[in-house]
């Protein structure tokens, strides 16, 4: 186990120091270790703000010198295990002390040993005093641009809760699952620990995993039977499946060949491939001699709305990421709008909480492109999410009574001429 943990410490550090993505890192971990690795990292990401701002300052009185900064990452993972995972305490401490010794020196080992033993002695008190704070200072900076302290506090509540499993069912399917809840927006919700592959409906190709928020943009489009749809940034294909299931003919575009392969596998599993065409393109360079009735742009974004399912986001995203993505979205939207027929619809969606990637983006677009107007969204079940401009601003607290929803933004635009 010690060697696995040493590898995990290096991987955890690389997420923060080398901006390696958690999903890429996961793929490097052997299959048989994945379950523990995933539990450790997900818990560490969720608890990192508490560990950094409440736990460690009580026992680490001096700043750790830069040359030994690996000790910070050792302490983050070790503290996660001691406070939040059910592992034998002394085995945990000994493993991390050994890593500290091998990565620094005897003093590093003694230091980690002293801190961890202190944490262990104070464990009950520390957990009783958990302040339920999960958002990093950088993440808060993003949210404070657009939301009040009360709204942010409400969002933060959901950061401490594991996200449930949401399913989208084909129109023709009739869900038959114990414990399932039908959400007001049409998705089926199951408890967080549900294994999707154990469900008959999944095995039979009747449904797919898709957060309730992510399923909303396609539902805003109304009748799609026989329509030609350009699905931009389509992989892994949750929305593509909805479009095909609704009877549309879909051209799905994504920059990643690998992710398009996954999309095709997903659509084949559901038996919906008949009216699907895929194109590997950077949306900014998309060059096709065709016009569409509908364009779905599920734009690349800071993904700040997905912090429940991807808690690393609370610790890694900055205002710079939001600016960068907003700039990319603006360019993609402008470029792709040329493929829309007269009177056609664009549905623009991002899983971001930042208004620069949502409300502000669309307001600027319609100001700069007078051929387009906003079509107010009136979808049943989204009443609380509708803004005065006719958009949907979905906040994690909007399905509070059902344990939340991903943060999302949706707008529908129409080409007038
Ligand atoms: C939010 S995911 C899309 C999710 C998908 N629409 C669904 O419902 O399953 C964003 C996708 O955008 C793709 N992407 C990112 N930048 C792109 C670009 N410049 N052009 C085309 N696709 C891009 C990524 O590869 C990724 O698959």
């Amino acid at each position: 186990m010690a060697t696995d943990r040493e590898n995990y410490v290096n991987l955890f550090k690389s997420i923060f120091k080398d901006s390696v993505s958690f999903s890429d890192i996961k793929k490097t971990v052997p299959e048989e270790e994945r379950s523990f690795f995933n539990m450790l990292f997900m818990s560490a990401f969720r608890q990192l703000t508490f560990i950094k701002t409440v736990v460690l300052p009580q026992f680490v009185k001096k700043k750790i010198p830069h040359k030994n900064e690996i000790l910070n990452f050792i302490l983050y993972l070790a503290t996660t295990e001691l406070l939040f995972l059910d592992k034998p305490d002394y085995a945990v401490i000994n493993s991390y002390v050994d890593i500290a010794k091998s990565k620094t020196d005897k003093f590093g080992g003694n230091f980690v040993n002293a801190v961890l033993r202190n944490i262990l002695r104070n464990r009950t008190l520390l957990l009783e005093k958990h302040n339920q704070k999960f958002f990093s200072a950088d993440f808060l900076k993003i949210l404070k641009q657009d939301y009040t302290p009360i709204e942010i506090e409400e969002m933060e509540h959901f950061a401490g809760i594991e996200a449930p499993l949401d399913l989208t069912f084909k129109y023709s399917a009739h869900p038959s699952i114990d414990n399932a809840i039908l959400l007001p927006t049409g998705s089926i919700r199951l408890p967080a620990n549900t294994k999707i592959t154990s469900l008959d409906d999944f095995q039979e190709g009747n449904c797919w995993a898709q957060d309730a928020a992510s399923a909303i943009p396609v539902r805003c489009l109304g009748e799609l039977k026989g329509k030609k749809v350009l699905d931009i940034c389509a992989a892994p294909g949750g929305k593509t499946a909805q479009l095909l299931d609704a009877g549309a003919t879909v051209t799905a575009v994504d920059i990643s060949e690998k992710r398009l392969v996954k999309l095709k596998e997903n659509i084949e599993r559901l038996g919906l491939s008949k009216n699907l065409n895929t194109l590997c393109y950077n949306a900014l360079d998309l060059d096709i001699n065709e016009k569409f009735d509908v364009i779905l742009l599920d734009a690349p974004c800071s993904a700040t709305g997905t912090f429940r399912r991807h808690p690393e986001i609370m610790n890694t995203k900055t205002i710079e990421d939001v600016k960068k993505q907003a700039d990319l979205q603006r360019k993609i939207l402008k470029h792709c709008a040329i493929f829309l027929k007269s009177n056609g619809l664009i549905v623009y969606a991002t899983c971001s909480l930042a208004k620069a990637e949502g409300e502000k983006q669309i307001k600027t677009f319609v100001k700069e492109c007078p051929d387009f107007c906003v079509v107010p969204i009136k979808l049943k079940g989204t009443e609380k999410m509708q803004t005065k401009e006719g958009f949907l601003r979905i906040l994690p607290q909007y399905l509070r009574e059902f344990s939340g929803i991903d943060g999302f933004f949706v707008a529908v635009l129409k080409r007038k001429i």
Side-chain angles (χ1 to χ4, degrees):
M1 196 46 137
T3 54
D4 296 346
R5 285 190 171 109
E6 184 162 347
N7 184 29
Y8 299 163
V9 169
N10 291 332
L11 295 176
F12 199 66
K13 180 177 169 217
S14 69
I15 289 173
F16 292 93
K17 291 286 159 184
D18 311 319
S19 306
V20 184
S21 85
F22 178 44
S23 62
D24 284 344
I25 276 185
K26 247 190 267 184
K27 293 175 204 147
T28 68
V29 173
E31 193 71 45
E32 64 278 11
E33 289 175 34
R34 288 252 177 101
S35 158
F36 173 68
F37 166 81
N38 207 38
M39 186 169 62
L40 173 61
F41 273 47
M42 292 289 275
S43 307
F45 290 133
R46 264 201 197 101
Q47 301 299 342
L48 199 56
T49 292
F50 173 65
I51 290 171
K52 274 182 174 179
T53 61
V54 176
V55 179
L56 293 179
Q58 295 184 39
F59 310 111
V60 179
K61 294 297 175 193
K62 276 195 210 150
K63 192 170 172 350
I64 292 171
H66 182 71
K67 73 173 170 58
N68 285 342
E69 71 170 348
I70 192 74
L71 294 175
N72 283 317
F73 297 94
I74 290 171
L75 288 176
Y76 300 153
L77 289 188
T79 307
T80 303
E81 285 206 50
L82 286 181
L83 294 185
F84 302 103
L85 302 188
D86 189 19
K87 291 281 162 190
D89 298 329
Y90 287 100
V92 168
I93 295 179
N94 292 340
S95 314
Y96 286 102
V97 168
D98 286 347
I99 299 167
K101 266 189 214 157
S102 81
K103 295 258 179 205
T104 59
D105 52 26
K106 194 173 105 205
F107 298 106
N110 291 343
F111 164 74
V112 166
N113 189 33
V115 173
L116 295 184
R117 279 167 195 268
N118 261 323
I119 291 172
L120 188 56
R121 265 194 295 278
N122 291 280
R123 177 162 57 193
T124 311
L125 198 62
L126 286 165
L127 289 173
E128 275 171 11
K129 296 226 159 123
H130 197 307
N131 59 1
Q132 302 305 312
K133 297 289 176 212
F134 303 97
F135 292 163
S136 70
D138 280 338
F139 197 72
L140 282 171
K141 253 190 216 164
I142 298 175
L143 298 179
K144 280 179 183 167
Q145 290 194 312
D146 298 314
Y147 300 99
T148 63
I150 291 178
E151 285 172 321
I152 295 173
E153 201 178 306
E154 286 183 348
M155 289 180 207
E156 197 161 24
H157 167 75
F158 292 94
I161 297 173
E162 240 185 280
L165 172 65
D166 289 347
L167 301 174
T168 303
F169 272 78
K170 285 186 190 167
Y171 286 109
S172 57
H174 302 285
S176 58
I177 308 173
D178 296 339
N179 302 325
I181 297 171
L182 173 62
L183 296 177
T185 53
S187 294
I188 296 285
R189 177 157 288 182
L190 290 164
N193 53 5
T194 310
K195 225 176 165 199
I196 191 166
T197 46
S198 70
L199 303 173
D200 290 345
D201 272 316
F202 181 80
Q203 294 292 351
E204 288 159 19
N206 292 331
C207 63
W208 58 99
Q210 187 176 34
D211 185 86
S214 183
I216 289 175
V218 172
R219 296 196 174 118
C220 294
L221 284 165
E223 181 61 50
L224 285 164
K225 205 168 178 54
K227 299 253 169 83
K228 261 177 69 175
V229 181
L230 180 61
D231 180 4
I232 300 165
C233 303
K239 296 179 190 68
T240 320
Q242 286 180 285
L243 295 166
L244 290 163
D245 187 42
T249 297
V250 180
T251 300
V253 178
D254 203 279
I255 198 169
S256 157
E257 187 68 67
K258 236 177 164 176
R259 287 174 65 86
L260 274 177
V261 169
K262 190 74 203 155
L263 176 145
K264 282 188 254 184
E265 280 170 16
N266 289 339
I267 300 295
E268 264 161 37
R269 184 186 68 78
L270 294 165
L272 293 170
S273 308
K274 192 166 149 246
N275 295 318
L276 173 68
N277 173 30
T278 57
L279 293 174
C280 187
Y281 258 107
N282 181 338
L284 290 172
D285 305 327
L286 187 63
D287 182 15
I288 40 173
N289 197 10
E290 235 182 306
K291 298 246 173 180
F292 295 82
D293 302 302
V294 172
I295 293 178
L296 165 60
L297 173 53
D298 191 15
C301 70
S302 63
T304 41
T306 66
F307 64 79
R308 300 173 314 148
R309 294 184 198 282
H310 302 286
E312 72 277 17
I313 283 184
M314 306 186 278
N315 301 288
T316 53
K317 295 292 172 179
T318 64
I319 284 188
E320 284 315 305
D321 294 310
V322 170
K323 282 189 190 144
K324 212 170 110 199
Q325 295 299 327
D327 189 49
L328 177 62
Q329 292 149 11
R330 183 178 56 76
K331 291 179 182 151
I332 295 182
L333 181 57
K334 274 220 162 139
H335 177 62
C336 291
I338 60 177
F339 302 109
L340 190 68
K341 284 184 190 168
S342 171
N343 287 314
L345 296 178
I346 296 184
V347 60
Y348 170 91
T350 58
C351 54
S352 170
L353 289 162
K355 295 191 179 172
E357 300 178 80
E359 292 85 336
K360 291 179 190 161
Q361 184 77 267
I362 296 304
K363 281 188 204 167
T364 310
F365 178 79
V366 282
K367 221 184 261 169
E368 291 175 1
C369 305
D371 294 0
F372 285 87
C373 62
V374 172
V375 181
I377 299 171
K378 297 282 175 219
L379 183 72
K380 194 171 143 262
T382 64
E383 292 76 7
K384 270 198 208 161
M385 308 166 185
Q386 295 167 10
T387 73
K388 61 180 188 318
E389 301 92 343
F391 308 141
L392 292 186
R393 165 49 66 196
I394 307 172
L395 297 179
Q397 53 268 43
Y398 281 172
L399 286 189
R400 186 191 313 265
E401 61 277 37
F402 302 103
S403 59
I405 183 166
D406 276 357
F408 235 87
F409 171 80
V410 192
V412 178
L413 304 170
K414 184 174 179 174
R415 182 190 274 287
K416 292 187 273 184
I417 46 172

